[in-house]
Amino acid sequence: MMSNRNNKKRDNVALCLYPNSIGFGYAVLSNALTVLNSQVVQVRPVSNKQAMKRIREIIDYYEPKVVVVEDYNGIGSRKSKRIQRMIDAIARYATKKHLKVHTYSRADIRYVFSSFNAHTKHEIACVIAENVKSMEYKLMKPRKASESEKYMVGAFDAVSLGITHFYMEK
């Protein structure tokens, strides 16, 4: 059984999940600038069933109070049908576990980071790396137009969702 002290620590824990074409990125935050963990989970072969199995394990392990996902209906979102179904499955599972689910669009994320003059994914990642020391070593070089998205982008996308959540909830 978890002590009251540990329960209080978990009161603000947000698990931010960002499904993408290779699996999903996730970040566990206790406030806007405290990232407890961030990772990219690659799922091979790509399968929502396998991804959801891993997501359920992560939710059960971290016991967050809030799950944060992207609002795929929001302005600036271009999620495939598969990823939309995965986001819906995440929300259903979190609701079943009696967790709050918050959604934010790409426009919300850009709005929050516009105060740092960051508009692109790379500029947002740079702002995150400057302000969250645990993310500094994960920062990647900007991609060229001919390159696919870098592997660690999913972790920065998840952290940007978390920062947006804490900023918008004030």
Side-chain angles (χ1 to χ4, degrees):
M1 182 121 196
M2 200 180 295
S3 72
N4 271 347
R5 185 173 172 201
N6 284 340
N7 269 341
K8 288 191 186 297
K9 282 184 182 179
R10 293 185 182 268
D11 279 348
N12 287 332
V13 171
L15 174 62
C16 309
L17 295 159
Y18 197 93
N20 58 25
S21 62
I22 64 166
F24 61 94
Y26 77 91
V28 181
L29 289 86
S30 60
N31 63 50
L33 296 178
T34 305
V35 177
L36 304 174
N37 192 8
S38 67
Q39 297 291 322
V40 174
V41 176
Q42 190 169 8
V43 178
R44 295 233 177 192
V46 175
S47 155
N48 282 4
K49 185 176 179 180
Q50 288 301 314
M52 280 305 302
K53 179 181 176 195
R54 296 290 303 275
I55 288 169
R56 285 190 296 273
E57 291 169 357
I58 292 167
I59 289 173
D60 293 344
Y61 180 79
Y62 285 105
E63 299 176 346
K65 296 298 177 190
V66 176
V67 173
V68 182
V69 291
E70 184 178 347
D71 176 6
Y72 59 79
N73 290 316
I75 297 170
S77 180
R78 297 184 312 233
K79 297 293 183 200
S80 70
K81 292 292 182 192
R82 181 187 68 79
I83 292 178
Q84 289 178 18
R85 286 190 302 271
M86 188 151 82
I87 291 171
D88 290 340
I90 292 166
R92 280 192 306 274
Y93 182 73
T95 301
K96 180 179 156 190
K97 297 286 283 183
H98 306 291
L99 302 173
K100 293 180 184 176
V101 178
H102 291 267
T103 61
Y104 300 98
S105 67
R106 290 297 310 162
D108 293 332
I109 295 168
R110 285 196 177 100
Y111 170 75
V112 168
F113 284 91
S114 66
S115 60
F116 297 97
N117 202 27
H119 306 284
T120 66
K121 279 191 171 193
H122 183 71
E123 290 168 345
I124 291 169
C126 288
V127 168
I128 292 169
E130 287 171 18
N131 292 286
V132 180
K133 293 303 172 202
S134 64
M135 296 298 291
E136 200 171 36
Y137 74 96
K138 295 179 181 183
L139 185 63
M140 58 277 153
K141 293 178 183 171
R143 76 176 181 161
K144 296 177 183 168
S146 61
E147 294 178 330
S148 61
E149 197 166 76
K150 304 281 193 221
Y151 181 79
M152 284 309 295
V153 169
F156 282 94
D157 289 335
V159 172
S160 70
L161 268 174
I163 291 171
T164 300
H165 167 71
F166 284 105
Y167 180 85
M168 302 286 262
E169 284 297 301
K170 284 186 176 181

